[in-house]
Amino acid sequence: MKTTVIIPNYNGMSYLEDCMKALKADTSAKFRICIVDNGSTDGSLEWIRQNCPEAELIAMGENTGFCKAVNVGIEAAQTPYVLLLNNDTQVVTGFVKALEEALEEWDRAFSVSAKMLDMKQPHLLDGAGDLYCALGWAFARGKGKEAARYFTREGEIFSACAGAAIYRRDLIEGLGYFDENHFAYLEDCDLGYRAQLHGYRNYYSPQAVVCHAGSGATGSRHNEFKVRLSSRNSVYLIYKNMPLWQIVLNGPLLLSGFLVKYFFFLKKGLGKIYWRGCLSGIRLCRREGKSKKQDFSKISKRELFRIQIMLWGNIWRRFIS
C-alpha cells in the first residue's frame, strides 16, 4: 500500500457521500483513507463515523484551516505517498493508480496534479495543474476549456492543485510541510514553488480524472473571506520565495498584476477587501515572514533563473494558451 488519501472536511455534508462513494469504487490501487474534520457543525462528523469505518478520522474540534488539517493528515500517514483530495470531488475509476504511476515515472518528481473537470459541466476543464507568473498571479491551466481538446498530454507544471494531487511524503517533510500561515489559498503554489527552488519538479497527469464542484467550503468563487486571504497570501508568497533581486526585477510586472486584480475586485464591490488583504500580507511578511523566507544561499542560481524564465513564460500562457 503506497498511498494515503487525505480528505480535509469542513461542513461538507452535502458533498461527502458522493465523494466517498466514488473513492471507494476506485479499486485500481490499494490505499488508506484519512479524513481530517475541521470542526464541522453540519453533522458531517457523525456521518463519517457511521458510514466510513474504513477511514481513519481525525477530529480537529475547530476550523484550523486547510493547511493545518492536511499537515496533521500527512503527519499521521505511514505510506510513502500522500494524495490530497477535496471533499467536493468525485474521482473516476483508475484515479489513484494513475497518480501513483505518474509520480514514479519522472525523476525528481515532487507532486502530480490530476485532470479536474467541472462537476456541473464535465466536458469542461476545472484545471489541469496550476501555473504562477511574474504578475503575481496563480491560475489553473485550461479552466473552462474543452476537456477533450486541451491538456490531454502529461507534462510539467508550476505547482499541483492540492484539491486533487499526489505528493512524496518524505519530500513534504523535508520542505517543512504546508505553511500554516496561509490558512487556506495559495498554500499549494507556495509548496510547489519551494519544491522547485530545491530542484524538484511538479507534473500533470491527464489519466487521473476527477470532477470538482469548486468552492465547497466557502460557497462562492468570489467572497470576502477568499479575496482577503488570497490577496494576503499573494504578497506573502512573493516575499518568501523570491530573493530581493528577483522582486526588484519583477517589480513593475508585480505592481501591474496587483493593480489589475484590485480594479477587478473593485467592480465586484470587493476592492477594499482586496487592498486590506494586501496590507495584511505586508504585515504577515514583517511578523512571520523572516522565519519562513527561503535561505537563498543554499539554492542554486540555475534554479532561480530557470524559475524566472517560467514566470515570464507563464504570463503568455495565461492569456494565450
Side-chain angles (χ1 to χ4, degrees):
M1 196 172 295
K2 301 177 182 178
T3 302
T4 299
V5 178
I6 299 170
I7 304 173
N9 178 67
Y10 176 65
N11 290 338
M13 188 64 248
S14 59
Y15 296 104
L16 269 174
E17 184 173 359
D18 289 337
C19 176
M20 291 303 297
K21 182 179 179 180
L23 186 60
K24 291 177 185 180
D26 185 1
T27 58
S28 63
K30 293 183 178 180
F31 52 88
R32 301 180 187 274
I33 302 174
C34 176
I35 303 175
V36 184
D37 187 81
N38 248 339
S40 295
T41 58
D42 66 343
S44 56
L45 186 60
E46 292 74 17
W47 185 89
I48 294 166
R49 288 181 174 135
Q50 293 176 8
N51 296 278
C52 305
E54 73 284 356
E56 177 183 3
L57 173 62
I58 302 175
M60 301 297 287
E62 61 179 344
N63 187 3
T64 62
F66 178 88
C67 301
K68 176 68 174 180
V70 296
N71 281 346
V72 168
I74 293 167
E75 289 171 351
Q78 298 179 357
T79 53
Y81 308 150
V82 290
L83 196 165
L84 304 188
L85 186 67
N86 278 4
N87 59 4
D88 60 342
T89 59
Q90 294 176 34
V91 306
V92 175
T93 300
F95 174 80
V96 176
K97 183 179 180 181
L99 286 178
E100 288 179 346
E101 291 179 345
L103 191 63
E104 294 167 350
E105 179 181 347
W106 290 290
D107 294 335
R108 306 293 288 175
F110 171 66
S111 70
V112 180
S113 194
K115 181 177 186 177
M116 303 181 77
L117 306 178
D118 188 303
M119 184 82 76
K120 295 181 179 179
Q121 302 180 83
H123 64 288
L124 299 180
L125 284 169
D126 187 62
D130 291 345
L131 298 181
Y132 182 70
C133 72
L135 292 169
W137 300 351
F139 54 96
R141 289 196 314 167
K143 189 173 181 68
K145 292 184 178 294
E146 291 287 338
R149 294 182 56 197
Y150 293 91
F151 303 109
T152 58
R153 297 181 181 180
E154 58 191 19
E156 188 174 348
I157 54 176
F158 192 89
S159 61
C161 172
I166 196 168
Y167 300 81
R168 296 186 189 273
R169 182 170 61 87
D170 61 336
L171 295 184
I172 289 182
E173 292 173 347
L175 290 168
Y177 293 88
F178 287 89
D179 185 346
E180 293 174 15
N181 286 329
H182 280 264
F183 190 85
Y185 304 116
L186 295 178
E187 72 292 321
D188 46 7
C189 182
D190 169 64
L191 185 60
Y193 202 145
R194 277 186 276 147
Q196 289 205 62
L197 287 169
H198 289 273
Y200 301 105
R201 301 291 182 264
N202 305 293
Y203 294 94
Y204 160 72
S205 172
Q207 284 74 42
V209 181
V210 59
C211 294
H212 181 221
S215 302
T218 59
S220 62
R221 186 175 179 185
H222 301 303
N223 55 71
E224 291 189 10
F225 176 79
K226 185 173 182 178
V227 171
R228 175 174 57 82
L229 278 184
S230 296
S231 57
R232 185 197 69 164
N233 293 343
S234 293
V235 175
Y236 183 51
L237 185 150
I238 292 165
Y239 175 79
K240 285 177 56 185
N241 296 300
M242 289 187 189
L244 180 59
W245 68 262
Q246 198 171 27
I247 294 175
V248 172
L249 176 65
N250 291 312
L253 289 170
L254 291 171
L255 180 60
S256 298
F258 276 93
L259 285 174
V260 169
K261 286 276 189 176
Y262 168 73
F263 286 113
F264 173 82
F265 287 115
L266 184 65
K267 291 182 178 179
K268 295 183 176 294
L270 295 168
K272 288 184 179 179
I273 300 298
Y274 179 82
W275 178 244
R276 289 171 182 169
C278 292
L279 293 178
S280 178
I282 294 172
R283 290 193 293 268
L284 180 60
C285 294
R286 296 175 63 182
R287 187 176 68 249
E288 306 285 350
K290 290 183 180 180
S291 64
K292 295 291 187 177
K293 191 172 178 67
Q294 294 296 301
D295 182 354
F296 293 104
S297 67
K298 298 179 180 179
I299 293 172
S300 164
K301 288 183 173 58
R302 180 178 179 179
E303 291 297 337
L304 286 170
F305 285 119
R306 184 188 67 83
I307 291 171
Q308 181 58 52
I309 296 301
M310 289 180 69
L311 296 178
W312 282 331
N314 287 343
I315 296 177
W316 177 83
R317 293 181 180 92
R318 172 63 180 82
F319 294 104
I320 303 299
S321 62

